[in-house]
Amino acid sequence: MAVDDPIAKTAQLIRNGYIVAVKGLGGFHLAVDAFNDDAVERLRARKHREEKPLAVMAADVAAASAFARVAPEDAELLLSPQRPIVLLPKKLPERLAFSVAPRNFYFGVMLPYTPLHYLLLACGLNAVVMTSANLSEEPLVIDNEEAFVRLSGIADYFLVHDRPIYLRSDDSIVRRAGGRTRLIRRSRGFVPVPVFLKAQLPDVLACGAELKNTVCLIKGNKAFVSQHIGDLENPSAEDFFRLTIDHLQRILDISPQVIACDAHPDYLSTRWAAARTDVPVVQVQHHHAHIAACMAEHHLDERVIGLAFDGTGLGPDGTIWGGEALVADLAGYERVGHLAYVPMPGGAAAIKAPWRMGLAFLHHAYEDALWELGLPFLRGLAHDQARIVVQMAARRVNSPLTSSLGRLFDGVAAIIGLRGVVAFEGQAAMELEMIADRHAHGTYPFHWCTEPVRHADVVPMVTAIVDDIQRGTPAFIISRKFHDTLTAMWASLCIALRAQTGIDRVALSGGCFQNVLLLEGLTEALQKEDFLVYSQQQVPTNDGGISLGQAVVAGEIIRR
């Protein structure tokens, strides 16, 4: 409908509980009143976004301070020219609708960054949910006509303008951790500012990972990492991936001499690279790329001890890596430590069902005696289904082996009764971090086996956690002890590796280092032992930074 004052009318509609699609700078947002729980729940249902936190736009720092704790450093980030979403601790009791960020200690908050935003929030709106306008996991909507079609089942009204958006760009997300600003999603405001490298490298195109995809182009000593593309799991995401590559090659005038990609053959980005016949392709192991990204950012070219912690990455032995210690430089690596393998029952199904990993770790520790433990976790499972899953793990039926730290987080979250099923990637690990008692201390036993490669046997840890549960130890104490155990375990490995190799530089990378307790705890423990510790700031530590690592590895191989 056409109205005389569309901005005032939009504000009125939002106050009345309607969902409005608002055209912004890099795409459309879906806007609702952040204080109206019914409106937020309705948005979640229509968008198919069950529990993942939603971003909030506040009118100004004072408005944000009414519902979140805003430190001076956070205010500086909110007011920076990039205008990112900043993760801020909630004020309690919660002022905003519970469904904005359920079971999360943080709100993602940004300030207005277009004239339209300023005008809209000036109409008496102090805080508005402003989440990306798309169905869950699809690319952001940028075109008016496209919005009317794709968002017709979500938005009640549309606020549009006639300024075209050529290339979609999501809001960037940052947080403060370890005394520094960390990028969780690098997009609007930060792209296309390059990452400056130590050496001049050949022109390279890197295709990134499957999840949180970005691509990277290198020209000389500059690495241009693209905006956030997203998860390459549907045709529209593939189209955006191709468009971004073409766009960056054209505006940067780069014709790559080599293409880098992940070693996983089923990733869309890998298949796209393999189909190119005009330039050579270099496959880069996922966790080496993580460590190389951290090294590139800090201008490191000598060997480092790299700790790469995440949920999934294909290892050259055909297993699923994710809790890895590497001795690496930019051109190669040696795996020198990892978590002990456990089966991952159901394969990818275990990612969305942490209870499967809980059963896998319990069976790994107790075998069939697990059914006698009397844990509330076990009593809450469907008996027949649980036994089938255990049999799958025991017989290795559709149960690939994994050394993933992300899956260990999932398993522990399930065993203590925190989260058996997740609505979004990393939810169980996130909630396990959230509940940890910041004032408690203590560790569980662990053991490093030395043959054939050092690997951490987690059975002593799992059995001690079960003992704690049976004694009635609260989950928030168990979570803190679990985190402290990981810190002690990996720090002890680094000490042993330094004695063996003489290397005193440690690079930390991978999605698990979005966990502030793990990042800060391990950094502090290593620094106390006189290690030089490096972690990422310019690109995300999650898979959003993988393309940078792929690019510098391929470039260094070609250069040498």
Side-chain angles (χ1 to χ4, degrees), residues 300-419:
L300 302 174
D301 50 17
E302 64 272 41
R303 291 194 307 165
V304 301
I305 298 170
L307 300 183
F309 301 159
D310 62 5
T312 300
L314 182 65
D317 59 357
T319 64
I320 299 172
W321 289 12
E324 310 305 317
L326 312 176
V327 169
D329 61 17
L330 292 178
Y333 72 94
E334 177 188 2
R335 191 191 199 195
V336 292
H338 60 89
L339 286 179
Y341 289 124
V342 296
M344 191 171 159
I351 298 173
K352 295 185 177 180
W355 64 268
R356 291 173 177 260
M357 290 310 306
L359 284 175
F361 281 105
L362 289 177
H363 184 263
H364 183 65
Y366 293 95
E367 297 185 338
D368 289 341
L370 74 91
W371 306 111
E372 302 165 14
L373 296 174
L375 297 179
F377 159 62
L378 295 172
R379 291 196 298 270
L381 297 177
H383 183 74
D384 290 344
Q385 186 180 22
R387 285 191 174 272
I388 290 172
V389 166
V390 168
Q391 289 173 6
M392 288 172 60
R395 298 172 184 174
R396 294 284 313 284
V397 176
N398 189 24
S399 299
L401 293 176
T402 183
S403 61
S404 166
L405 184 60
R407 300 289 81 80
L408 178 59
F409 268 94
D410 286 351
V412 171
I415 291 168
I416 68 174
L418 180 64
R419 172 66 64 170

Side-chain angles (χ1 to χ4, degrees), residues 184-477:
I184 296 173
R185 184 167 73 199
R186 184 179 186 271
S187 203
R188 177 189 53 75
F190 294 92
V191 175
V193 177
V195 176
F196 289 91
L197 307 175
K198 184 176 182 179
Q200 300 278 332
L201 293 177
D203 291 357
V204 180
L205 164 64
C207 300
E210 182 83 347
L211 303 180
K212 299 178 177 64
N213 180 267
T214 60
V215 298
C216 179
L217 281 159
I218 287 181
K219 191 176 185 69
N221 71 333
K222 300 180 184 69
F224 297 90
V225 181
S226 75
Q227 75 274 41
H228 170 79
I229 294 171
D231 298 349
L232 301 182
E233 296 179 329
N234 58 67
S236 54
E238 180 178 357
D239 291 343
F240 185 25
F241 168 79
R242 296 173 184 271
L243 174 64
T244 301
I245 290 174
D246 292 342
H247 173 74
L248 284 178
Q249 287 187 187
R250 184 173 64 256
I251 67 169
L252 299 173
D253 191 24
I254 297 176
S255 297
Q257 301 172 26
V258 62
I259 294 177
C261 64
D262 196 276
H264 198 302
D266 294 330
Y267 285 179
L268 184 149
S269 51
T270 303
R271 295 200 305 269
W272 181 88
R276 294 282 296 264
T277 58
D278 52 335
V279 291
V281 174
V282 174
Q283 292 190 343
V284 182
Q285 199 280 327
H286 190 89
H287 300 93
H288 184 209
H290 269 308
I291 299 305
C294 183
M295 293 177 66
E297 184 177 316
H298 291 283
H299 292 180
L300 302 174
D301 50 17
E302 64 272 41
R303 291 194 307 165
V304 301
I305 298 170
L307 300 183
F309 301 159
D310 62 5
T312 300
L314 182 65
D317 59 357
T319 64
I320 299 172
W321 289 12
E324 310 305 317
L326 312 176
V327 169
D329 61 17
L330 292 178
Y333 72 94
E334 177 188 2
R335 191 191 199 195
V336 292
H338 60 89
L339 286 179
Y341 289 124
V342 296
M344 191 171 159
I351 298 173
K352 295 185 177 180
W355 64 268
R356 291 173 177 260
M357 290 310 306
L359 284 175
F361 281 105
L362 289 177
H363 184 263
H364 183 65
Y366 293 95
E367 297 185 338
D368 289 341
L370 74 91
W371 306 111
E372 302 165 14
L373 296 174
L375 297 179
F377 159 62
L378 295 172
R379 291 196 298 270
L381 297 177
H383 183 74
D384 290 344
Q385 186 180 22
R387 285 191 174 272
I388 290 172
V389 166
V390 168
Q391 289 173 6
M392 288 172 60
R395 298 172 184 174
R396 294 284 313 284
V397 176
N398 189 24
S399 299
L401 293 176
T402 183
S403 61
S404 166
L405 184 60
R407 300 289 81 80
L408 178 59
F409 268 94
D410 286 351
V412 171
I415 291 168
I416 68 174
L418 180 64
R419 172 66 64 170
V421 178
V422 298
F424 59 90
E425 182 199 6
Q427 184 179 15
M430 182 187 300
E431 293 184 0
L432 188 60
E433 177 195 0
M434 294 290 173
I435 68 166
D437 188 324
R438 264 41 181 186
H439 304 292
H441 294 285
T443 58
Y444 294 116
F446 60 87
H447 175 62
W448 281 102
C449 307
T450 57
E451 297 294 337
V453 175
R454 286 185 177 91
H455 58 278
D457 180 8
V458 298
V459 168
M461 182 195 308
V462 171
T463 56
I465 289 173
V466 169
D467 290 344
D468 259 358
I469 295 171
Q470 293 174 332
R471 282 192 291 264
T473 304
F476 56 85
I477 298 293

